[in-house]
Amino acid sequence: MSFCDDTLLCNFPKCRSKLSGFAWVTACSHVFCDQHGSDAFSRSPAICPACSSALSGKLDIVRTELSPSEQYKAMVLAGLPPDVVLDISARALAFWSYQVHQEHMYQEYSLSRAEAQLKQMEKVLTQQNQSRELELTGMRGEIASLKKVMEEYKRKYSDVSERLMERNRQYQKLQGLYDSLRLRNMVVDVGERDTLLQPGHHDFNTGVAPRPATPQRSPQFLSVGHDGDSRFFSCLEADGAKTFFQFSSPSRERGRPFMKKH
């Protein structure tokens, strides 16, 4: 509020509204709106809500009209000596000057309080930003570490995949070789069985007819474990392996008795 502003503000701490109509003026140079003045000064003894001063005098509290009529202005100071008129005017101007000064002090106090709150908020914001930067740096480090771990797992997965493909190729190759040898064994065994199992034909050495050949079974394929080192096919069973290698051995072919066809 400035000297050019002709509107006073209510001095009640929680009001601060512009005055209009009627106002309550105190001897301690405070002014209140009609609502808060009526509430505050209806009790006895009267206490100023702004400075807590006791207002016990008859004229310590005055309810005045802020926009008096022209007749009131013409008669209120009529008949008073000039020095009294000047004294009344000086006191009225001192009251106004005090109100302007108090408003200026209040605005400065509000500004300093707002600046202090702003500095405190800036300090808190700076601390929060530093904390977030530290957290962000830590998270970036964790992300970099996790990326390294992921790359290591990708490399291991690639190695295991290559080993698995190589083992599968070896298995397919061995499986084809085994099937071809088993087919050859079956063809030879069928020819021998047709020759040896003719009516009245016996082994010249033992006199016992030979037993039919036992069919061979293919090796079972095993799945790969977590370490990637499990074997991909099982060994041949004892009896099947014996029959297989006995068939492939040249010594057996040479030791077989010569059968003369009739």
Side-chain angles (χ1 to χ4, degrees), residues 180-193:
S180 63
L181 293 176
R182 186 180 62 175
L183 180 61
R184 177 183 173 186
N185 187 21
M186 291 176 60
V187 171
V188 174
D189 286 346
V190 169
E192 291 180 353
R193 184 174 56 184

Side-chain angles (χ1 to χ4, degrees), residues 41 44 49 52 60 77 79 88 91 112 131 144 161 178-179 181 186 195 210 212 224-225 227 233 254:
F41 302 134
S44 183
S52 301
D60 286 349
L77 296 178
I88 293 173
R91 293 187 182 189
S112 62
S131 177
S161 298
Y178 175 80
D179 290 340
L181 293 176
M186 291 176 60
T195 304
V224 180
D227 55 354
F233 56 90
R254 291 193 300 266

Side-chain angles (χ1 to χ4, degrees), residues 119-231:
K119 290 181 180 180
Q120 183 67 21
M121 293 177 64
E122 288 178 350
K123 183 179 179 180
V124 173
L125 180 62
T126 302
Q127 293 177 353
Q128 291 181 351
N129 288 337
Q130 292 177 354
S131 177
R132 297 297 182 272
E133 287 294 333
L134 293 176
E135 293 180 359
L136 183 60
T137 302
M139 294 178 65
R140 286 174 179 172
E142 292 180 0
I143 292 174
S145 178
L146 292 175
K147 285 183 178 179
K148 292 181 180 179
V149 174
M150 185 176 65
E151 293 296 331
E152 182 66 20
Y153 277 120
K154 285 183 177 180
R155 186 185 63 79
K156 291 183 179 180
Y157 174 77
S158 178
D159 294 342
V160 172
S161 298
E162 291 178 358
R163 293 171 62 185
L164 177 61
M165 294 175 63
E166 181 63 24
R167 295 290 180 87
N168 285 334
R169 287 192 293 267
Q170 293 177 1
Y171 172 76
Q172 295 295 335
K173 183 177 179 180
L174 292 175
Q175 182 67 33
L177 180 60
Y178 175 80
D179 290 340
S180 63
L181 293 176
R182 186 180 62 175
L183 180 61
R184 177 183 173 186
N185 187 21
M186 291 176 60
V187 171
V188 174
D189 286 346
V190 169
E192 291 180 353
R193 184 174 56 184
D194 293 342
T195 304
L196 297 177
L197 294 184
Q198 291 180 359
H201 180 80
H202 297 278
D203 194 326
F204 291 104
N205 297 326
T206 60
V208 180
R211 293 182 299 176
T214 304
Q216 306 299 319
R217 291 180 294 176
S218 300
Q220 299 179 353
F221 179 74
L222 302 179
S223 61
V224 180
H226 296 286
D227 55 354
D229 290 333
S230 299
R231 297 187 178 278

Side-chain angles (χ1 to χ4, degrees), residues 10 17 19 25 28 38 60-61 67 76 92 122 175 207 237 261:
C10 177
S17 62
L19 299 177
V25 182
C28 56
S38 300
D60 286 349
I61 305 172
S67 299
V76 66
E122 288 178 350
Q175 182 67 33
E237 296 182 359
K261 294 183 180 181

